[in-house]
Amino acid sequence: MRSLLAGLGVLASSTPAWTDSTRKVPTLIYVDPVDYERRILLDACRARGVECVEVWSRPYFSTVLEAAVNAAQERAADLGVAVEELYESLRSEVEEHVAPYSGDEVAWAATHGIFGAHTSADLLGVLCGSDAGLATAERLQDVLVPTRSNGRNVARRDKFLTHHTLAAAGLASAHQAVVKSWPEAEVFLNTLGKPLRAVVKPRRGQGSLRVGLAHSHAEVKHMLTFLLSEAASLDHEEVAPGDALLQEMIDGDEWAVDLVSRNGEHKVVALWRYDKRPVNGAPFVYFCDELRGVEGPRERAICNYAMAALGVLGWRWGPSHLEIRDSSRGPVLVEANAGRFNGVNFLPLTSKCIGYTMYGSALDAFCNSANWEAIPSMPPSRLKFAGRLVKLVSSVEGVLQTLHHQDLIYALPSLLQYYPKYSPGEEVSLTVDLSSSAGLVLLAGPQTQVDQDYSTILGIQSEMFDVVTKASR
């Protein structure tokens, strides 16, 4: 069974392959090793001689088990058994790789060879690959690496508490309220200016999922009814279902600041300006992340605000990325992601355009003080190349027949990489948030060329997806 599960590619390795017990091996725990990020991070660890112990958080456990069952189902015929017969074995096997409950951390670490008097591991910290696992990673680091603890602070993940904490410290924040009913919501809406622009969102979520922008009381009521009826939280251990968050709509461009911290010293390793637009009935659909240099006072103010926000939230070790609006009253936080790398594959762009990456910087923060000291506190004012990470937007849904304009994309002069999400025969989703983006196009080169190629993509993507809709089947 173990050889089968290893072949499925959905389970982590439980015990590192240490062979020299006389040498302390630098080691990191990696919570929720998912998708492309796992490959990137493990490669970076190997290049630095760092062992990585992989584990699943309990909020992510059901997702991992589902993936294991689906993978086994595809191979059931080859195995000569029914999937139902494998289910409990799969569950038992996956559970061996799930993080311990609170209070069991030390015993769990000793069992996995990363804690105790005779281990050859030098445990340096904990990283996380999912939003759902952030509290687990925070707890493991607090208990197992207390000298590098970030403490435990739900305000880093609960969007209401995040802004409440910033406001209490005197930093700019959003006007907001937590509501459990329409009458409570109506009271808050009456405090906002005219014309009404209110953001309705879960207190704990990601990727603009179930985030709405309302322009009337009726729209807020409709969105609120939907949100309160669904369990939208990523981690119910921290934020219980049953309420929703209302905030003012902050004006200005939206930016993302990627940071890495070492012992309370924060460094900005990349700065992005978002191109988000209303489309397909959704208010905040990602079209592009534009990589920017820290060119002047505006960019420096955004970066300094991000570092101040991390300080207020008590973040001291590891990666983070913060989304910030450059508003008429200065930088204002949209949301913080303390403990997470940026949620897209930006590495090829930052490698080419800046010369270093968030992954390498995070590992150096934990493992190599000399390399850390060599990292600038902010990116330069002028990057080596202009860069954009374009998210393709589908305005149709159905079974894909033909993906048009492939030759045109591959011929773009600034094309760095292209990742179409769909192949013919697959179901295309309407793009309404980050997870439903229809593909990625990475552009890097001279500024005018990158801008021109981005305009080309915007002009063709409405014609890219030839689908058969449900109504015509």
Side-chain angles (χ1 to χ4, degrees), residues 44-66:
C45 284
R46 292 188 192 100
R48 289 166 171 78
V50 176
E51 288 283 356
C52 209
V53 179
E54 301 172 71
V55 61
W56 298 111
S57 67
R58 294 191 177 274
Y60 209 86
F61 169 70
S62 59
T63 301
V64 177
L65 181 61
E66 181 182 0

Side-chain angles (χ1 to χ4, degrees), residues 275-282 284-288 389-397 403 409 418-422 428-441 454 457-466:
D275 181 0
K276 285 185 178 181
R277 309 181 186 190
V279 68
N280 299 331
F284 307 114
V285 174
Y286 291 83
F287 277 69
C288 170
L389 193 147
V390 184
K391 283 113 172 183
L392 295 179
V393 174
S394 170
S395 295
V396 296
E397 54 185 343
L403 189 58
I409 290 179
Y418 171 40
Y419 303 101
K421 183 176 182 178
Y422 303 109
V428 175
S429 300
L430 202 66
T431 302
V432 294
D433 52 31
L434 185 58
S435 64
S436 55
S437 295
L440 298 176
V441 184
Y454 180 48
I457 294 172
L458 293 180
I460 64 174
Q461 65 180 354
S462 63
E463 306 169 351
M464 288 185 66
F465 307 99
D466 180 10

Side-chain angles (χ1 to χ4, degrees), residues 129-142:
S130 84
D131 289 279
L134 288 173
T136 298
E138 187 177 87
R139 171 169 57 87
L140 290 177
Q141 183 151 317
D142 183 49

